């Protein structure tokens, strides 16, 4: 089922997911570095990584929602898994938004334990959301070109995939 939200021959959603996932995961790593070293710069950086991850997460969510709405057939397992995938990742964004909001009132953006726990829970839930996304693509064939094969032409060639 070919994605409708595309650029240069590829679905945009799987291209974008690396940004919020990478930014939010890295923010947790910077929180850990802050806990180990007590350097304020790590806490400050973590807060800004969360802000960037949230912004990219919203953009990425819009592209995923459009594909879910326009491409995934009603009444299918893929539709149910896609909904769970989207809801799990919405929870991730909410947890990181809570963590970020808690840091707003702290001096130098240094997080207290509730903010850290919210971010860590967000990271855990992102693993489940990512697994569900993998299930959609790898098991259910969502956003995979019909007729895809190891010798298919470039997506930039403009030719179809027919003819192995």
């Amino acid at each position: 089922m070919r994605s409708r939200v595309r650029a240069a021959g590829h679905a945009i959603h799987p291209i974008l997911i690396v940004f919020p996932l990478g930014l939010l995961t890295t923010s947790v790593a910077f929180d850990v570095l802050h806990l180990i070293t007590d350097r304020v710069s790590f806490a400050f950086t973590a807060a800004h990584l969360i802000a960037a991850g949230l912004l990219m997460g919203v953009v990425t969510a819009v592209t995923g929602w459009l594909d879910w709405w326009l491409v995934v057939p009603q009444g299918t397992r893929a539709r149910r898994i896609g909904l769970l995938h989207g809801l799990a990742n919405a929870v991730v964004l909410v947890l990181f938004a809570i963590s970020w909001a808690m840091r707003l009132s702290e001096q130098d953006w240094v997080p207290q334990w509730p903010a850290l726990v919210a971010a860590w829970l967000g990271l855990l839930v992102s693993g489940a959301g990512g697994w569900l996304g993998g299930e959609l693509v790898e098991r259910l064939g969502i956003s995979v070109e019909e007729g895809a094969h190891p010798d298919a032409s470039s997506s930039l060639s403009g030719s179809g995939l027919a003819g192995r």
Side-chain angles (χ1 to χ4, degrees):
M1 282 174 230
R2 188 171 202 240
S3 169
R4 299 248 178 104
V5 185
R6 304 177 67 75
H10 289 284
I12 294 175
H13 183 71
I15 294 169
L16 292 180
I17 61 167
V18 299
F19 294 104
L21 185 60
L23 290 163
L24 296 173
T25 300
T26 304
S27 76
V28 171
F30 272 78
D31 280 337
V32 170
L33 287 172
H34 172 258
L35 290 172
I36 292 169
T37 67
D38 205 30
R39 290 189 58 177
V40 172
S41 61
F42 289 133
F44 181 81
T45 302
H48 287 79
L49 287 166
I50 290 172
L54 290 171
L55 290 173
M56 285 304 299
V58 169
V59 171
T60 303
V62 168
T63 63
W65 180 82
L66 285 170
D67 274 345
W68 181 79
W69 186 260
L70 298 172
V71 175
V72 182
Q74 295 280 344
T76 62
R77 179 169 180 263
R79 186 77 169 194
R80 293 186 303 275
I81 296 296
L83 179 61
L84 288 174
H85 168 70
L87 291 174
N89 288 313
V91 169
V92 170
L93 293 179
V94 167
L95 287 166
F96 274 100
I98 290 168
S99 178
W100 186 81
M102 289 177 178
R103 296 164 195 251
L104 276 174
S105 62
E106 300 298 332
Q107 182 178 356
D108 297 323
W109 295 88
V110 174
Q112 299 301 309
W113 282 105
L116 293 172
V117 169
W120 295 341
L121 286 173
L123 186 62
L124 287 173
V125 175
S126 76
W131 185 89
L132 290 165
E135 184 79 353
L136 284 167
V137 174
E138 295 179 21
R139 186 78 174 165
L140 301 172
I142 301 301
S143 197
V144 175
E145 294 276 345
E146 289 186 32
H149 57 89
D151 288 321
S153 61
S154 167
S155 56
L156 296 174
S157 71
S159 64
L161 293 176
R164 284 186 167 202

